[in-house]
Amino acid sequence: MTEKIALVVGASGIVGGATAALLAAEGWTVHGLSRRPTSQAGVLPVVADLQDAEATATALADIRPDAVFITTWLRQDSEAENIRVNAAMVRNLLDGLRPGGSTRHVALVTGLKHYLGPFEAYGKGVLPQTPFREEQGRLDVENFYYAQEDELFAAAERDGFGWSVHRPHTVIGKAVGNAMNMGTTLAVYATLCRETGRPFRFPGSAAQWHGLTDMTDAIVLAKHLLWATQTASARNEAFNIVNGDVFRWQWLWGRIATWFGLEAAPFDGEVLPLERQMAHDAAIWRRIAERDGLVETDITRLASPWHTDADLGRPIEVVTDMSKSRRMGFTTYQPTDDAFFALFERLRADRLIP
């Protein structure tokens, strides 16, 4: 690609922030679109609500990106509303870019709910065999990921740009105010357990505790997005993207406990969701934050227990196949425990945890 101008949609989120940082480091001119202006170094803020087609078109009128990275979505109260709102957001974005005629590639980040089903039918019914592979296709159920893809495919056919779809597992990375943030949620939970003397207990299912699983570091995902944008064979392809290792939570839980100076409580097989365990912790967190000089006193801006519960409470093993990307030359690898530890160090350095 001769030009290196990027538009990162959802620049204030875990994936968007990591992608914008990588692109800026690689010499791209980076525009970061979000509902509130981002202050990330090396990123030119673009403020727009993608639900508003006219405002989106106005915000994008003078931007001519070569590559677009869609890393955002809005959670709604039902899957029907998820489909309506998130499909419209992709459509409004791509319609807003159409007059400029500069877009060569659009990368869309979805996830493993492509194989597991949406939140309303999560992990239920007839699911593909693990490890999940890209050729397994769609489930026979309505899913906002599919609706986002369909908007992308229609716009690509109409406007002639290439596309890629990226399906990470649970993403490890830093963001404040993010709706799906397991890493920071576990860091806050561990801090609360240390403060109160409560047991650091795995909140999920026996299937997750004993079974194999994997995860996706945000930096690995950012590198995957850039790789697909610059690799001819990756044009118009969908990819799984995970760190490359597999683990069992019964091993990783103890390692996370040790990092925080805790002992992992024995797991007795009972599901004890974090949403229930942390329901009354807002005041305790505020006291910790004020005492230790943390920059965020609102626990709801850091922790998303509902999402962590959804992942750790699955009744099935979830493992992802990376062969398609590997065969095409993407070889980045990140041990998942190191990804967690790097995140915890960053959260501590940035005064988000004590």
Side-chain angles (χ1 to χ4, degrees), residues 53-107:
E54 184 176 349
T56 298
T58 299
L60 297 174
D62 297 324
I63 299 174
R64 299 291 184 270
D66 301 286
V68 179
F69 304 87
I70 305 175
T71 70
T72 189
W73 70 287
L74 285 179
R75 186 189 183 202
Q76 305 299 311
D77 291 335
S78 68
E79 191 59 20
E81 279 298 289
N82 277 334
I83 291 168
R84 184 187 67 80
V85 170
N86 289 284
M89 288 168 59
V90 174
R91 182 168 62 253
N92 293 341
L93 169 72
L94 298 178
D95 284 350
L97 290 169
R98 187 183 188 189
S102 64
T103 304
R104 301 182 185 182
H105 189 93
V106 177

Coordinates of all heavy atoms in Angstrom, one line a residue, residues 53-107:
A53 N -26.2 8.6 11.1 CA -25.6 8.5 9.7 C -25.1 9.8 9.3 O -24.0 10.0 8.7 CB -26.6 7.9 8.7
E54 N -25.9 10.9 9.4 CA -25.6 12.2 8.9 C -24.3 12.7 9.7 O -23.4 13.3 9.1 CB -26.7 13.1 9.1 CG -26.5 14.5 8.5 CD -27.7 15.4 8.6 OE1 -28.8 14.9 8.9 OE2 -27.5 16.7 8.3
A55 N -24.3 12.6 11.0 CA -23.2 13.1 11.8 C -21.9 12.3 11.4 O -20.8 12.9 11.4 CB -23.5 13.0 13.3
T56 N -22.1 11.0 11.2 CA -20.9 10.2 10.8 C -20.3 10.7 9.5 O -19.1 10.8 9.4 CB -21.3 8.7 10.8 OG1 -21.7 8.3 12.0 CG2 -20.1 7.9 10.3
A57 N -21.2 10.9 8.5 CA -20.7 11.3 7.2 C -20.0 12.7 7.3 O -19.0 12.9 6.7 CB -21.9 11.4 6.3
T58 N -20.5 13.6 8.2 CA -19.9 14.9 8.3 C -18.5 14.7 9.0 O -17.6 15.4 8.6 CB -20.8 15.8 9.2 OG1 -22.1 16.0 8.6 CG2 -20.1 17.1 9.5
A59 N -18.4 13.9 10.0 CA -17.2 13.7 10.7 C -16.1 13.1 9.8 O -14.9 13.4 10.0 CB -17.4 12.8 11.9
L60 N -16.5 12.3 8.8 CA -15.6 11.6 7.9 C -15.3 12.3 6.6 O -14.5 11.9 5.8 CB -16.1 10.2 7.6 CG -16.3 9.2 8.8 CD1 -16.9 8.0 8.3 CD2 -14.9 8.9 9.4
A61 N -15.9 13.5 6.4 CA -15.9 14.1 5.1 C -14.5 14.4 4.6 O -14.3 14.4 3.4 CB -16.7 15.4 5.2
D62 N -13.6 14.8 5.5 CA -12.2 15.2 5.0 C -11.2 14.1 5.3 O -10.0 14.4 5.2 CB -11.8 16.5 5.8 CG -12.8 17.6 5.4 OD1 -13.2 17.7 4.2 OD2 -13.0 18.5 6.2
I63 N -11.6 12.9 5.6 CA -10.7 11.8 5.9 C -10.6 10.8 4.8 O -11.7 10.4 4.3 CB -11.1 11.1 7.3 CG1 -11.0 12.1 8.4 CG2 -10.1 9.9 7.5 CD1 -11.6 11.5 9.7
R64 N -9.4 10.5 4.3 CA -9.2 9.6 3.2 C -8.4 8.4 3.6 O -7.2 8.3 3.2 CB -8.6 10.4 2.0 CG -9.4 11.6 1.5 CD -10.6 11.1 0.8 NE -11.4 12.3 0.2 CZ -12.3 12.9 0.9 NH1 -12.6 12.6 2.1 NH2 -12.9 14.0 0.3
P65 N -8.9 7.5 4.4 CA -8.1 6.4 4.8 C -7.9 5.3 3.7 O -8.8 5.1 2.9 CB -8.9 5.8 5.9 CG -10.3 6.1 5.6 CD -10.3 7.4 4.9
D66 N -6.7 4.7 3.7 CA -6.5 3.6 2.9 C -7.0 2.3 3.6 O -7.5 1.4 2.9 CB -5.0 3.4 2.7 CG -4.4 4.6 2.0 OD1 -4.6 4.8 0.8 OD2 -3.7 5.4 2.7
A67 N -6.8 2.2 4.9 CA -7.3 1.1 5.7 C -8.2 1.5 6.8 O -7.9 2.5 7.5 CB -6.1 0.3 6.2
V68 N -9.2 0.7 7.0 CA -10.2 1.0 8.1 C -10.2 -0.2 9.0 O -10.3 -1.4 8.5 CB -11.6 1.3 7.5 CG1 -12.6 1.5 8.6 CG2 -11.5 2.5 6.6
F69 N -10.2 0.0 10.3 CA -10.2 -1.1 11.3 C -11.4 -0.9 12.2 O -11.5 0.1 13.0 CB -8.9 -1.1 12.1 CG -7.7 -1.2 11.2 CD1 -7.1 0.0 10.7 CD2 -7.1 -2.4 10.9 CE1 -6.0 -0.1 9.9 CE2 -6.0 -2.5 10.1 CZ -5.4 -1.4 9.6
I70 N -12.4 -1.8 12.1 CA -13.6 -1.7 12.9 C -13.5 -2.6 14.1 O -13.5 -3.8 14.0 CB -14.9 -2.1 12.1 CG1 -14.9 -1.3 10.8 CG2 -16.1 -1.9 12.9 CD1 -16.0 -1.7 9.8
T71 N -13.4 -1.9 15.3 CA -13.1 -2.6 16.5 C -14.1 -2.3 17.6 O -13.8 -2.5 18.8 CB -11.7 -2.3 17.0 OG1 -11.7 -0.9 17.5 CG2 -10.6 -2.4 15.9
T72 N -15.3 -1.9 17.2 CA -16.3 -1.5 18.2 C -17.6 -2.1 18.0 O -17.9 -2.5 16.9 CB -16.4 0.0 18.2 OG1 -17.2 0.5 19.3 CG2 -17.0 0.6 16.9
W73 N -18.4 -2.2 19.0 CA -19.8 -2.5 18.9 C -20.5 -2.0 20.2 O -19.9 -1.6 21.1 CB -20.0 -4.0 18.8 CG -19.7 -4.8 20.1 CD1 -18.5 -5.1 20.6 CD2 -20.7 -5.4 21.0 NE1 -18.6 -5.8 21.8 CE2 -19.9 -6.0 22.0 CE3 -22.1 -5.5 21.0 CZ2 -20.5 -6.7 23.1 CZ3 -22.6 -6.2 22.0 CH2 -21.9 -6.8 23.1
L74 N -21.9 -1.9 20.1 CA -22.7 -1.5 21.3 C -23.6 -2.6 21.7 O -24.4 -3.1 21.0 CB -23.5 -0.2 20.9 CG -22.7 1.1 20.8 CD1 -23.7 2.2 20.3 CD2 -22.0 1.5 22.1
R75 N -23.5 -2.9 23.0 CA -24.4 -3.9 23.6 C -25.8 -3.4 23.8 O -26.0 -2.3 24.3 CB -23.8 -4.4 24.9 CG -24.5 -5.6 25.5 CD -24.1 -5.9 26.9 NE -24.7 -7.1 27.4 CZ -24.8 -7.4 28.7 NH1 -24.3 -6.5 29.6 NH2 -25.4 -8.5 29.2
Q76 N -26.8 -4.2 23.4 CA -28.2 -3.8 23.5 C -28.9 -4.9 24.4 O -28.3 -5.9 24.8 CB -28.8 -3.7 22.2 CG -28.1 -2.8 21.2 CD -28.1 -1.3 21.7 OE1 -29.1 -0.8 22.1 NE2 -26.9 -0.7 21.7
D77 N -30.2 -4.6 24.7 CA -30.9 -5.5 25.6 C -31.4 -6.8 25.0 O -31.8 -7.7 25.7 CB -32.1 -4.7 26.2 CG -31.7 -3.6 27.1 OD1 -30.7 -3.7 27.7 OD2 -32.5 -2.6 27.2
S78 N -31.3 -6.9 23.7 CA -31.7 -8.2 23.0 C -30.9 -8.4 21.8 O -30.3 -7.4 21.3 CB -33.2 -8.1 22.6 OG -33.4 -7.2 21.6
E79 N -30.8 -9.6 21.3 CA -30.1 -9.8 20.1 C -30.7 -9.1 18.9 O -30.0 -8.7 18.0 CB -29.9 -11.3 19.8 CG -28.9 -11.7 18.7 CD -27.5 -11.2 19.0 OE1 -27.2 -10.9 20.2 OE2 -26.7 -11.0 18.1
A80 N -32.0 -9.0 18.8 CA -32.6 -8.3 17.7 C -32.1 -6.8 17.7 O -31.9 -6.3 16.6 CB -34.1 -8.3 17.9
E81 N -32.0 -6.2 18.9 CA -31.5 -4.8 19.0 C -30.0 -4.8 18.7 O -29.5 -3.8 18.1 CB -31.8 -4.2 20.3 CG -33.2 -3.7 20.5 CD -33.5 -2.6 19.5 OE1 -33.0 -1.5 19.7 OE2 -34.2 -2.8 18.5
N82 N -29.3 -5.8 19.1 CA -27.8 -5.9 18.8 C -27.7 -5.9 17.3 O -26.8 -5.2 16.7 CB -27.2 -7.1 19.4 CG -26.8 -7.0 20.8 OD1 -26.5 -5.9 21.3 ND2 -26.8 -8.1 21.5
I83 N -28.5 -6.6 16.6 CA -28.4 -6.7 15.1 C -28.8 -5.4 14.5 O -28.0 -4.9 13.6 CB -29.3 -7.8 14.6 CG1 -28.8 -9.2 15.0 CG2 -29.5 -7.7 13.1 CD1 -29.7 -10.4 14.8
R84 N -29.9 -4.8 14.9 CA -30.3 -3.5 14.3 C -29.3 -2.4 14.5 O -28.9 -1.8 13.6 CB -31.6 -3.1 15.0 CG -32.2 -1.8 14.3 CD -33.5 -1.4 15.1 NE -33.2 -0.9 16.4 CZ -32.7 0.3 16.7 NH1 -32.4 1.2 15.7 NH2 -32.5 0.7 17.9
V85 N -28.8 -2.3 15.7 CA -27.9 -1.2 16.1 C -26.5 -1.4 15.5 O -26.0 -0.5 14.8 CB -27.8 -1.0 17.6 CG1 -26.7 0.0 18.0 CG2 -29.1 -0.5 18.1
N86 N -25.9 -2.6 15.6 CA -24.6 -2.8 15.2 C -24.4 -2.9 13.7 O -23.4 -2.5 13.1 CB -24.0 -4.0 15.9 CG -23.7 -3.7 17.4 OD1 -22.8 -3.0 17.8 ND2 -24.6 -4.1 18.3
A87 N -25.4 -3.4 13.0 CA -25.4 -3.5 11.6 C -25.5 -2.0 11.0 O -24.8 -1.7 10.1 CB -26.6 -4.3 11.0
A88 N -26.4 -1.2 11.6 CA -26.5 0.2 11.2 C -25.2 0.9 11.4 O -24.8 1.8 10.6 CB -27.6 0.9 11.9
M89 N -24.5 0.7 12.5 CA -23.2 1.4 12.7 C -22.2 1.1 11.6 O -21.5 2.0 11.1 CB -22.7 1.0 14.1 CG -23.4 1.6 15.2 SD -23.0 0.9 16.8 CE -21.3 1.2 17.0
V90 N -22.1 -0.2 11.2 CA -21.1 -0.6 10.1 C -21.6 0.1 8.8 O -20.8 0.6 8.1 CB -21.0 -2.1 10.0 CG1 -20.2 -2.5 8.8 CG2 -20.4 -2.7 11.3
R91 N -22.9 0.0 8.6 CA -23.4 0.6 7.3 C -23.2 2.1 7.3 O -22.8 2.7 6.3 CB -24.9 0.3 7.2 CG -25.6 0.8 6.0 CD -27.0 0.2 5.8 NE -27.9 0.6 6.9 CZ -28.3 -0.3 7.9 NH1 -27.9 -1.5 7.9 NH2 -29.2 0.2 8.8
N92 N -23.5 2.8 8.4 CA -23.3 4.3 8.4 C -21.8 4.6 8.2 O -21.5 5.6 7.6 CB -23.8 4.8 9.7 CG -25.3 4.7 9.9 OD1 -26.0 4.6 8.9 ND2 -25.8 4.8 11.1
L93 N -20.9 3.9 8.8 CA -19.5 4.1 8.7 C -19.1 4.0 7.2 O -18.4 4.9 6.7 CB -18.7 3.1 9.6 CG -17.2 3.1 9.3 CD1 -16.5 4.4 9.9 CD2 -16.6 1.8 9.9
L94 N -19.4 2.9 6.6 CA -18.9 2.6 5.3 C -19.7 3.5 4.2 O -19.0 3.9 3.2 CB -19.2 1.1 4.9 CG -18.4 0.2 5.8 CD1 -18.6 -1.3 5.5 CD2 -16.9 0.5 5.8
D95 N -20.9 3.9 4.5 CA -21.6 4.9 3.7 C -20.9 6.2 3.8 O -20.8 7.0 2.8 CB -23.0 5.0 4.0 CG -23.9 3.8 3.5 OD1 -23.4 3.0 2.7 OD2 -25.1 3.7 4.0
G96 N -20.5 6.6 5.0 CA -19.8 7.9 5.2 C -18.4 8.0 4.5 O -18.0 9.0 4.2
L97 N -17.8 6.8 4.4 CA -16.5 6.8 3.7 C -16.6 6.7 2.2 O -15.6 7.1 1.5 CB -15.7 5.6 4.2 CG -15.2 5.7 5.7 CD1 -14.6 4.3 6.1 CD2 -14.1 6.8 5.8
R98 N -17.7 6.3 1.7 CA -17.9 6.0 0.3 C -17.5 7.2 -0.6 O -16.8 7.1 -1.6 CB -19.3 5.6 0.0 CG -19.5 5.1 -1.4 CD -20.9 4.7 -1.7 NE -21.0 4.1 -3.0 CZ -22.2 3.8 -3.6 NH1 -23.3 4.1 -3.0 NH2 -22.2 3.3 -4.8
P99 N -18.0 8.5 -0.3 CA -17.7 9.6 -1.2 C -16.2 9.9 -1.4 O -15.8 10.3 -2.5 CB -18.4 10.8 -0.5 CG -19.5 10.2 0.3 CD -18.9 8.9 0.8
G100 N -15.4 9.6 -0.4 CA -13.9 9.8 -0.5 C -13.3 8.9 -1.5 O -12.2 9.2 -2.1
G101 N -13.8 7.7 -1.6 CA -13.3 6.7 -2.5 C -11.8 6.2 -2.3 O -11.2 5.7 -3.2
S102 N -11.3 6.4 -1.1 CA -9.9 6.0 -0.8 C -9.7 4.7 -0.2 O -8.6 4.1 -0.3 CB -9.3 7.1 0.1 OG -10.0 7.0 1.4
T103 N -10.7 4.1 0.3 CA -10.6 2.9 1.1 C -10.2 1.7 0.3 O -10.9 1.3 -0.7 CB -11.9 2.5 1.9 OG1 -12.3 3.7 2.7 CG2 -11.7 1.3 2.8
R104 N -9.1 1.0 0.7 CA -8.6 -0.2 0.0 C -8.9 -1.5 0.7 O -9.0 -2.5 0.1 CB -7.1 -0.1 -0.3 CG -6.7 1.2 -1.1 CD -5.2 1.2 -1.3 NE -4.8 2.4 -2.0 CZ -3.5 2.6 -2.3 NH1 -2.6 1.7 -2.1 NH2 -3.2 3.8 -2.9
H105 N -8.9 -1.3 2.1 CA -9.1 -2.5 2.9 C -9.9 -2.1 4.1 O -9.6 -1.1 4.8 CB -7.8 -3.2 3.3 CG -7.9 -4.5 3.9 ND1 -7.9 -5.7 3.2 CD2 -8.2 -4.9 5.2 CE1 -8.1 -6.7 4.0 NE2 -8.2 -6.2 5.2
V106 N -10.9 -3.0 4.5 CA -11.6 -2.8 5.8 C -11.4 -4.1 6.6 O -11.8 -5.2 6.1 CB -13.1 -2.5 5.6 CG1 -13.8 -2.4 6.9 CG2 -13.2 -1.2 4.8
A107 N -10.9 -4.0 7.8 CA -10.8 -5.1 8.7 C -11.8 -5.0 9.8 O -12.0 -4.0 10.5 CB -9.4 -5.2 9.3

